[in-house]
Amino acid sequence: MSEPNARALRPGHRIALGQDVYTVIQLNGTTVTLQDQHGELSATLLGYLLTAPDFTALDAVPPKRVPQDGRISSLDHKEQRRIRWLEGQLIELETGRHPEGPPREAYDPGQHSMEERELAKLAELKAAGAEMSQRHLQRLRQAYRDDGLIGLADKRALRSQTPGATVDPRVITAIEEMLADPRGHSTVARSVILTQVRRKLDETHGPGEVPMPSRATFYRLMSYMDRGRRNFVSEASRRVSVNRPERPFTPMMALRPGENVVIDTNKLDVMCRYADGVIRRAELTMAVDVATRSIPAGIISPTTKAVDAAAVLARMLVPEPMRPGWPESLHHAHSVIPHERLLSIDERFANAAARPVIIPETLNCDRGKVYISETFLRACTSLGISVQPSRPYTGSDDTIVERTFGSMNTLFCQHLAGYAGRDTTRRGPDVAREAIWTVAQLQELFDEWVVACFSDRPAVRPGRSARRQLAACLTR
């Protein structure tokens, strides 16, 4: 008997049953047509033939199949349809019956030789717009016999793009040891890693025993293996990335005002003049509602303390009073907020500015000492507010308030005297001389800007087509 992996029959194979030798002529379902040495034809069941005790496959090398599912699924849908269509054509050419259609006389192995069937198939393919040479058709037949369905795929689509496929495994192991733990090391160039890997391999295996790849291949391999480790970026960026906890990231969402409110502190890019004559930048503690992107409250102070953060909460819960000198258009009665209904609830809305009053349910903050202090946490507890600190070393949890700080610099701070720029490279030579605002005056300007400008600003900028339509309406 033959080995189990040799029990696969195709037209043209020679088999032996006892002392007799047969050639497989046709496979039709579970029926096998055999031809003996004298040219006589006979038919038998495939299951009986393969389980016969005196069955032997005489082909020296049985066909071997490779796992196809994973490689075929990596191809695009167009290529998958093409190779499955080719498979049906080749099966009809070999057996005389298409998997999806009835048998046709032109491909009957009992009436036509393989060459005649190939010429008929070539004529059919040419009429269908898939013309090919007879030699190419024979190569496809051979590829399908050797590798199965994957042998019909375009080899360019199967080409592996993984760096290091031809590199000595000992080189890859040495690079892995060098890049394993990026913490606590200064950032070095890739050429330094190349020198260290070469020295390590020479010390371990002997000088010149391990072949090194070219410099370009080595650099590509290091970039591929360094994904997610960040060995070649700044130490501050690497420290944040390495220390970040492994948790699923979900974007912050809110469907109603107050459901999620973000609070944070940042320095303003404006020089302030203090009572003691010192000129320096003040700090702004600000809350932003996630659902409406509005600023419920903000407090400017020389140095932020826990009482300042608690004062922001207090200002969020009460109406903002109108200030002397503010125009009447900023009054609460002129806003889209239902003024009459709110006036019946709280009489303070009678002299309030058009700033929404939002009671936060969940307050998101970073882990600064101001926001984890007992004063701030007790204030939140007394108001029934749930405090949700951001994840350690994850600045992306507070992107909403950080983006609002960026908008303030371009929409508010740049228009004030004493603007210091976002960094020293954009700062003027004598900004301190231009500083004229005190902290109290800057607070007044900020409160008016929030009501008059930021609260009235659309959350989403209209598209180009919408702006064109608006311009056309204005010119009519």
Side-chain angles (χ1 to χ4, degrees):
M1 291 180 60
S2 64
E3 295 296 327
N5 60 2
R7 296 189 174 187
L9 295 182
R10 290 183 177 83
H13 282 188
R14 294 180 306 111
I15 65 172
L17 287 175
Q19 301 297 325
D20 299 326
V21 178
Y22 297 89
T23 302
V24 177
I25 300 299
Q26 182 181 5
L27 294 171
N28 189 3
T30 59
T31 304
V32 183
T33 302
L34 303 176
Q35 184 180 33
D36 60 12
Q37 298 175 342
H38 305 288
E40 297 292 334
L41 298 178
S42 61
T44 184
L45 294 177
L46 180 62
Y48 168 78
L49 181 64
L50 296 179
T51 56
D54 54 352
F55 168 78
T56 305
L58 300 180
D59 293 305
V61 181
K64 295 182 181 180
R65 296 292 186 93
V66 296
Q68 301 179 19
D69 295 344
R71 302 178 68 188
I72 292 177
S73 61
S74 65
L75 303 174
D76 55 39
H77 296 291
K78 183 178 179 180
E79 180 66 13
Q80 291 184 30
R81 289 194 301 268
R82 187 187 71 85
I83 62 177
R84 294 190 187 280
W85 175 78
L86 276 177
E87 182 185 32
Q89 303 298 325
L90 294 177
I91 291 177
E92 184 180 30
L93 180 63
E94 296 281 356
T95 65
R97 184 185 182 93
H98 197 281
E100 300 179 357
R104 294 189 288 179
E105 183 181 355
Y107 303 104
D108 187 358
Q111 302 181 18
H112 302 280
S113 63
M114 178 56 69
E115 185 175 1
E116 292 174 345
R117 284 178 281 162
E118 288 181 350
L119 295 177
K121 179 58 68 177
L122 290 173
E124 181 183 351
L125 295 177
K126 182 178 181 180
E131 183 179 2
M132 65 178 65
S133 64
Q134 185 175 6
R135 178 55 183 159
H136 182 57
L137 180 61
Q138 293 172 352
R139 284 198 297 266
L140 290 177
R141 288 178 53 211
Q142 186 63 40
Y144 185 66
R145 289 177 180 175
D146 296 340
D147 302 321
L149 183 60
I150 199 65
L152 305 179
D154 189 348
K155 299 304 183 292
R156 293 171 294 182
L158 299 174
R159 196 172 296 166
S160 176
Q161 300 295 330
T162 304
T166 59
V167 178
D168 193 294
R170 292 172 290 183
V171 177
I172 298 178
T173 303
I175 298 177
E176 178 66 26
E177 294 176 359
M178 294 290 181
L179 304 180
D181 189 8
R183 293 174 294 182
H185 301 286
S186 301
T187 303
V188 297
R190 289 175 172 82
S191 58
V192 177
I193 303 295
L194 174 61
T195 303
Q196 294 176 354
V197 169
R198 184 183 290 113
R199 183 185 303 116
K200 181 179 181 62
L201 292 175
D202 290 344
E203 294 175 354
T204 306
H205 304 282
E209 291 295 327
V210 180
M212 290 289 295
S214 64
R215 182 180 293 268
T217 303
F218 188 87
Y219 285 178
R220 286 194 299 268
L221 181 58
M222 274 198 300
S223 300
Y224 178 78
M225 298 177 63
D226 189 55
R227 293 182 302 177
R229 295 173 176 173
R230 304 173 67 83
N231 280 272
F232 304 105
V233 298
S234 65
E235 169 60 20
S237 177
R238 179 167 59 249
R239 183 170 59 250
V240 171
S241 177
V242 171
N243 293 332
R244 183 175 301 167
E246 295 293 337
R247 295 183 184 178
F249 174 77
T250 55
M252 186 182 302
M253 299 181 60
L255 302 179
R256 60 185 182 275
E259 183 178 356
N260 269 319
V261 177
V262 189
I263 188 171
D264 198 6
T265 302
N266 205 343
K267 283 186 176 292
L268 289 175
D269 294 339
V270 178
M271 292 294 184
C272 299
R273 189 177 296 273
Y274 292 85
D276 55 0
V278 178
I279 298 176
R280 62 178 183 272
R281 296 192 301 172
E283 293 183 353
L284 169 64
T285 302
M286 180 176 62
V288 178
D289 180 61
V290 176
T292 62
R293 294 298 197 272
S294 59
I295 301 177
I299 288 182
I300 300 176
S301 58
T303 302
T304 302
K305 300 180 181 179
V307 66
D308 298 320
V312 173
L313 297 179
R315 293 191 60 179
M316 291 175 59
L317 306 179
V318 298
E320 179 73 23
M322 290 285 291
R323 312 290 174 81
W326 284 16
E328 184 64 22
S329 59
L330 301 185
H331 198 277
H332 192 275
H334 299 287
S335 65
V336 297
I337 304 175
H339 176 69
E340 299 296 335
R341 181 179 178 184
L342 294 176
L343 186 60
S344 62
I345 300 175
D346 193 338
E347 296 180 355
R348 289 177 293 183
F349 281 102
N351 192 34
R355 194 206 70 189
V357 176
I358 297 177
I359 302 177
E361 300 175 12
T362 302
L363 198 65
N364 296 273
C365 58
D366 58 21
R367 296 178 179 268
K369 61 180 181 180
V370 172
Y371 301 110
I372 61 176
S373 62
E374 184 178 359
T375 301
F376 182 75
L377 294 179
R378 283 193 175 185
C380 294
T381 303
S382 63
L383 296 173
I385 301 173
S386 174
V387 179
Q388 180 64 48
S390 60
R391 293 172 292 180
Y393 305 103
T394 310
S396 58
D397 287 352
D398 302 327
T399 52
I400 294 176
V401 67
E402 295 292 349
R403 183 63 185 87
T404 307
F405 277 120
S407 298
M408 282 192 53
N409 290 330
T410 57
L411 301 176
F412 176 66
C413 296
Q414 288 187 3
H415 300 275
L416 299 178
Y419 175 64
R422 67 187 185 190
D423 52 51
T424 56
T425 62
R426 298 172 181 266
R427 186 171 301 171
D430 197 3
V431 181
R433 181 177 299 179
E434 302 175 2
I436 60 175
W437 306 107
T438 63
V439 175
Q441 292 172 336
L442 196 59
Q443 179 72 55
E444 292 287 337
L445 290 174
F446 172 75
D447 293 337
E448 184 177 1
W449 174 80
V450 169
V451 178
C453 300
F454 191 83
S455 298
D456 194 46
R457 185 169 178 262
V460 180
R461 185 181 180 185
R464 182 177 300 176
S465 59
R467 295 198 299 270
R468 288 178 179 177
Q469 294 176 3
L470 179 61
C473 294
L474 294 176
T475 56
R476 291 178 181 173

